[in-house]
Amino acid sequence: RTMNLVDPEKVSDGDIRNLAGFDIIGITEKELGADLLDRLRSLAQLRTALDRNNIPSPIHVWGGLDPLLTPLYFFAGAEIFDGISWLRYAFIDGIAINRESATVLDEGLGIQASRRFAYPLTAAHNRNHLDRLAGHLQQWVDYDGTSFSMFPKPIRDHLARAYRTMQTKVPQLKERRHGR
């Protein structure tokens, strides 16, 4: 079974201009590439092509809602995310863990918490995490992509390192104003 991958570098400016009528440009995470760096590169290339053709429409990554990957996709040029991972996992300190394990880390719940009680509470915690993540991404833009202090401590250095790697490996990120 072959995967259909989108390669923005092989799409003509005329084809890109045909996207001008869309308010949002949607693409699945899997269509962007087989590996994470490939997906980030494709996103940056797509955003660059849209910008070059004066198309301000945001890029929506279907399936890209993960507490660690979402910032990386955002750094590459995506702005809208969705997925069901927020229902499957518990988002804690910027990472996703098995929601069954989340009660072990929650002093208020502990291992005695029933699934019937813990799962809805985890979903509510995840919603709060997503709201905070949106604020962190806005702060990152406000700092022009130069600070990662707004992200949870366990992941901030990892995100900064990943972004430096992205800037080295994805030429389009060097050309764009950091933080948008």
Side-chain angles (χ1 to χ4, degrees), residues 33-175:
D35 300 316
L36 180 57
L37 187 57
D38 292 335
R39 293 191 296 264
L40 296 168
R41 184 179 292 113
S42 291
L43 266 175
Q45 290 168 347
L46 179 57
R47 179 75 267 157
T48 299
L50 291 168
D51 290 347
R52 184 176 57 243
N53 287 281
N54 299 311
I55 302 172
S57 303
I59 299 171
H60 178 177
V61 178
W62 296 85
L65 186 61
D66 174 277
L68 195 53
L69 296 180
T70 297
L72 299 179
Y73 290 145
F74 183 82
F75 301 161
E79 296 177 66
I80 301 173
F81 309 93
D82 73 9
I84 58 171
S85 62
W86 76 280
L87 292 172
R88 292 183 178 165
Y89 299 98
F91 294 176
I92 298 175
D93 291 331
I95 58 172
I97 66 167
N98 180 300
R99 71 179 164 180
E100 195 78 30
S101 304
T103 60
V104 176
L105 299 176
D106 189 316
E107 293 178 20
L109 292 176
I111 61 172
Q112 74 277 1
S114 71
R115 180 180 288 174
R116 198 172 122 211
F117 179 74
Y119 279 14
L121 188 59
T122 297
H125 285 284
N126 286 355
R127 173 59 201 259
N128 289 336
H129 180 85
L130 293 173
D131 287 342
R132 285 190 309 276
L133 177 58
H136 297 156
L137 295 174
Q138 182 59 56
Q139 286 179 313
W140 185 82
V141 170
D142 292 345
Y143 281 102
D144 203 25
T146 60
S147 175
F148 294 81
S149 62
M150 67 287 303
F151 294 102
K153 190 172 183 162
I155 65 165
R156 73 175 56 133
D157 291 340
H158 299 287
L159 290 176
R161 185 179 68 244
Y163 186 62
R164 285 191 305 271
T165 300
M166 290 167 64
Q167 289 178 305
T168 301
K169 302 287 185 181
V170 182
Q172 291 79 5
L173 291 178
K174 291 179 198 170
E175 299 165 10

